[in-house]
mmCIF file of all heavy atoms in Angstrom:
data_model
loop_
_atom_site.group_PDB
_atom_site.id
_atom_site.type_symbol
_atom_site.label_atom_id
_atom_site.label_comp_id
_atom_site.label_asym_id
_atom_site.label_seq_id
_atom_site.Cartn_x
_atom_site.Cartn_y
_atom_site.Cartn_z
ATOM 1 N N LEU A 41 80.362 -51.381 80.882
ATOM 2 C CA LEU A 41 79.200 -52.095 80.389
ATOM 3 C C LEU A 41 78.860 -53.262 81.417
ATOM 4 O O LEU A 41 77.673 -53.339 81.714
ATOM 5 C CB LEU A 41 79.446 -52.719 79.037
ATOM 6 C CG LEU A 41 79.360 -51.862 77.787
ATOM 7 C CD1 LEU A 41 79.696 -52.528 76.555
ATOM 8 C CD2 LEU A 41 78.147 -50.942 77.695
ATOM 9 N N ASP A 42 79.827 -53.744 82.052
ATOM 10 C CA ASP A 42 79.495 -54.807 83.121
ATOM 11 C C ASP A 42 78.837 -54.074 84.205
ATOM 12 O O ASP A 42 77.849 -54.626 84.745
ATOM 13 C CB ASP A 42 80.979 -55.326 83.683
ATOM 14 C CG ASP A 42 81.462 -56.421 82.707
ATOM 15 O OD1 ASP A 42 80.630 -56.959 81.782
ATOM 16 O OD2 ASP A 42 82.574 -56.904 82.894
ATOM 17 N N ALA A 43 79.402 -52.819 84.550
ATOM 18 C CA ALA A 43 78.698 -52.111 85.744
ATOM 19 C C ALA A 43 77.231 -51.779 85.414
ATOM 20 O O ALA A 43 76.363 -51.901 86.145
ATOM 21 C CB ALA A 43 79.470 -50.983 86.074
ATOM 22 N N LEU A 44 77.150 -51.362 84.041
ATOM 23 C CA LEU A 44 75.857 -50.967 83.612
ATOM 24 C C LEU A 44 74.799 -51.994 83.677
ATOM 25 O O LEU A 44 73.679 -52.097 84.212
ATOM 26 C CB LEU A 44 75.910 -50.401 82.296
ATOM 27 C CG LEU A 44 74.644 -49.944 81.704
ATOM 28 C CD1 LEU A 44 73.854 -48.893 82.260
ATOM 29 C CD2 LEU A 44 74.736 -49.649 80.080
ATOM 30 N N GLN A 45 75.343 -53.227 83.138
ATOM 31 C CA GLN A 45 74.516 -54.400 83.169
ATOM 32 C C GLN A 45 74.102 -54.779 84.507
ATOM 33 O O GLN A 45 72.946 -55.232 84.755
ATOM 34 C CB GLN A 45 75.237 -55.493 82.332
ATOM 35 C CG GLN A 45 74.280 -56.730 81.923
ATOM 36 C CD GLN A 45 74.593 -57.828 82.905
ATOM 37 O OE1 GLN A 45 75.198 -57.742 83.843
ATOM 38 N NE2 GLN A 45 73.734 -58.886 82.639
ATOM 39 N N GLY A 46 75.084 -54.842 85.352
ATOM 40 C CA GLY A 46 74.760 -55.264 86.794
ATOM 41 C C GLY A 46 73.853 -54.355 87.409
ATOM 42 O O GLY A 46 72.889 -54.872 88.027
ATOM 43 N N HIS A 47 74.087 -53.032 87.367
ATOM 44 C CA HIS A 47 73.197 -52.006 88.019
ATOM 45 C C HIS A 47 71.846 -52.217 87.392
ATOM 46 O O HIS A 47 70.725 -52.198 88.168
ATOM 47 C CB HIS A 47 73.909 -50.790 87.578
ATOM 48 C CG HIS A 47 73.422 -49.618 88.667
ATOM 49 N ND1 HIS A 47 74.517 -49.135 89.535
ATOM 50 C CD2 HIS A 47 72.373 -49.079 89.133
ATOM 51 C CE1 HIS A 47 73.886 -48.251 90.312
ATOM 52 N NE2 HIS A 47 72.648 -48.409 90.167
ATOM 53 N N LEU A 48 71.720 -52.346 86.024
ATOM 54 C CA LEU A 48 70.352 -52.278 85.430
ATOM 55 C C LEU A 48 69.605 -53.474 85.724
ATOM 56 O O LEU A 48 68.432 -53.491 86.201
ATOM 57 C CB LEU A 48 70.600 -52.130 83.879
ATOM 58 C CG LEU A 48 69.324 -51.761 83.169
ATOM 59 C CD1 LEU A 48 68.716 -50.458 83.546
ATOM 60 C CD2 LEU A 48 69.649 -51.815 81.557
ATOM 61 N N SER A 49 70.280 -54.685 85.783
ATOM 62 C CA SER A 49 69.630 -55.819 85.939
ATOM 63 C C SER A 49 69.075 -56.001 87.474
ATOM 64 O O SER A 49 68.005 -56.443 87.666
ATOM 65 C CB SER A 49 70.345 -57.195 85.478
ATOM 66 O OG SER A 49 71.555 -57.081 86.179
ATOM 67 N N LEU A 50 70.073 -55.564 88.242
ATOM 68 C CA LEU A 50 69.762 -55.583 89.715
ATOM 69 C C LEU A 50 68.521 -54.733 89.938
ATOM 70 O O LEU A 50 67.437 -55.049 90.586
ATOM 71 C CB LEU A 50 70.854 -55.021 90.535
ATOM 72 C CG LEU A 50 71.018 -55.165 91.925
ATOM 73 C CD1 LEU A 50 70.728 -56.707 92.215
ATOM 74 C CD2 LEU A 50 72.300 -54.818 92.414
ATOM 75 N N THR A 51 68.633 -53.508 89.402
ATOM 76 C CA THR A 51 67.443 -52.585 89.668
ATOM 77 C C THR A 51 66.054 -53.013 89.036
ATOM 78 O O THR A 51 65.166 -53.014 89.797
ATOM 79 C CB THR A 51 67.711 -51.041 89.104
ATOM 80 O OG1 THR A 51 69.052 -50.588 89.365
ATOM 81 C CG2 THR A 51 66.715 -50.054 89.303
ATOM 82 N N LEU A 52 66.095 -53.388 87.940
ATOM 83 C CA LEU A 52 64.928 -53.776 87.134
ATOM 84 C C LEU A 52 64.350 -55.065 87.814
ATOM 85 O O LEU A 52 63.102 -55.172 88.044
ATOM 86 C CB LEU A 52 65.062 -53.905 85.698
ATOM 87 C CG LEU A 52 65.376 -52.678 84.966
ATOM 88 C CD1 LEU A 52 65.606 -52.976 83.415
ATOM 89 C CD2 LEU A 52 64.304 -51.689 85.070
#
Side-chain angles (χ1 to χ4, degrees):
Chain A
L41 289 178
D42 281 351
L44 173 66
Q45 191 262 0
H47 207 115
L48 194 63
S49 56
L50 195 54
T51 305
L52 293 179

